């Protein structure tokens, strides 16, 4: 679960198993150098859950979630991000 008192690093990763495996070194880097932050992945849900179970990330959101649709909309701004994270912090 996301600790809202910490900073959140949001990683948006498309693709499936191989793409996510190639991203694991990034997650480990983030965990090492930003250890006081939560790592939130929006990615392929089954693979994201596996990475979460390994303790590499804190939370995963399905890349195909309807919550992400507004993130990609024409009128979306960076100011929409905190709202998005608050609404989707639990899987």
């Amino acid at each position: 679960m996301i600790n809202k008192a910490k900073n959140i690093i949001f990683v948006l990763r498309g693709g499936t198993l191989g793409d996510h495996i190639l991203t694991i070194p990034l997650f480990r880097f983030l965990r090492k150098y930003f250890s006081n932050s939560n790592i939130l992945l929006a990615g392929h849900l089954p693979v994201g859950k596996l990475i979460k179970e390994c303790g590499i990330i804190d939370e995963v959101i399905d890349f195909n979630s309807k919550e992400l649709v507004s993130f990609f909309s024409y009128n979306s701004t960076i100011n929409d991000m905190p709202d998005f994270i608050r609404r989707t912090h639990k899987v």
Side-chain angles (χ1 to χ4, degrees):
M1 170 125 358
I2 293 292
N3 179 344
K4 292 183 180 181
K6 292 183 175 183
N7 290 325
I8 297 172
I9 299 172
F10 179 68
V11 178
L12 185 64
R13 182 66 168 128
T16 55
L17 180 62
D19 300 300
H20 284 66
I21 288 172
L22 291 173
T23 311
I24 289 175
L26 168 69
F27 295 133
R28 288 192 171 149
F29 172 87
L30 293 171
R31 177 66 63 216
K32 181 177 180 179
Y33 290 101
F34 300 95
S35 59
N36 290 328
S37 296
N38 289 297
I39 302 172
L40 172 62
L41 167 67
H44 186 63
L45 193 57
V47 182
K49 285 182 176 182
L50 179 62
I51 295 171
K52 180 182 174 189
E53 287 296 316
C54 293
I56 299 172
I57 61 172
D58 297 298
E59 205 61 56
V60 61
I61 301 166
D62 188 2
F63 189 81
N64 296 313
S65 167
K66 65 180 179 179
E67 294 291 337
L68 277 176
V69 172
S70 63
F71 184 69
F72 291 108
S73 73
Y74 179 74
N75 295 323
S76 182
T77 67
I78 194 69
N79 295 329
D80 296 330
M81 184 61 76
D83 230 22
F84 166 76
I85 292 171
R86 275 196 297 277
R87 286 194 317 267
T88 59
H89 74 278
K90 187 176 177 185
V91 171

